[in-house]
Amino acid sequence: MSDTQPQQKPMQDLDLADEVGSGSTVVALVNWGTDEAPAWQAMRIPVSLLAQSAVAGQRDTPGGIAALSASHNLMIGGVEILGTQDGHVLMAADLPETDPGIPRAWYSNGGAIWISAGPQDD
C-alpha cells in the first residue's frame, strides 16, 4: 500500500534552499502568548497568505516595497512613475484644474502645467 501523503520532515531537517512553490504551505512557529508567558504553536500557513501579509506590511514604508499600478508601473506615494527618459523621471499624476494656493504646487491651466506662487491676497 503506497502512502500518498507527503513525508513530513522535522523542522531542523528542512533545507532552507529548497524552493517553495505556489500552493505550498510553510510551517511557522507562532507565539499566541506573551513574552512573559509564551505559548508556541506550529502552524501551516499557505504561501500565498504569507506573501500577501509580508507585502502589505512593507508597501510604501521606508525601505519597503513600492506598489505597482494597474498598468504595472511603479507607484510612489500615489504617483505613477512611467519610466525615465534622458535622465528625467516621467510620472503621471492628477493635477488640480485651478491654482491650489500652495507655493510650488503644480496645477493644470487649460492643459498647460503651471506652478502656484502660493496664497494670493485679495
Side-chain angles (χ1 to χ4, degrees):
M1 180 169 130
S2 68
D3 188 3
T4 58
Q5 296 292 327
Q7 184 177 0
Q8 301 295 318
K9 290 183 174 180
M11 289 186 75
Q12 66 269 18
D13 292 342
L14 292 177
D15 184 357
L16 296 179
D18 285 345
E19 182 177 329
V20 177
S22 175
S24 298
T25 58
V26 174
V27 175
L29 287 176
V30 178
N31 182 6
W32 295 101
T34 64
D35 288 340
E36 294 79 28
W40 293 97
Q41 180 180 0
M43 293 188 62
R44 292 186 171 280
I45 303 172
V47 169
S48 58
L49 180 62
L50 188 61
Q52 288 172 11
S53 177
V55 168
Q58 295 268 333
R59 184 172 290 144
D60 295 329
T61 61
I65 299 171
L68 295 179
S69 71
S71 53
H72 305 289
N73 291 318
L74 183 64
M75 296 287 293
I76 299 178
V79 176
E80 185 174 6
I81 307 301
L82 301 175
T84 60
Q85 182 178 9
D86 300 326
H88 301 284
V89 176
L90 306 174
M91 53 188 148
D94 293 326
L95 297 176
E97 296 292 322
T98 59
D99 186 341
I102 302 169
R104 298 179 304 280
W106 295 5
Y107 67 98
S108 175
N109 186 354
I113 295 177
W114 286 38
I115 300 174
S116 176
Q120 302 295 316
D121 294 330
D122 290 327

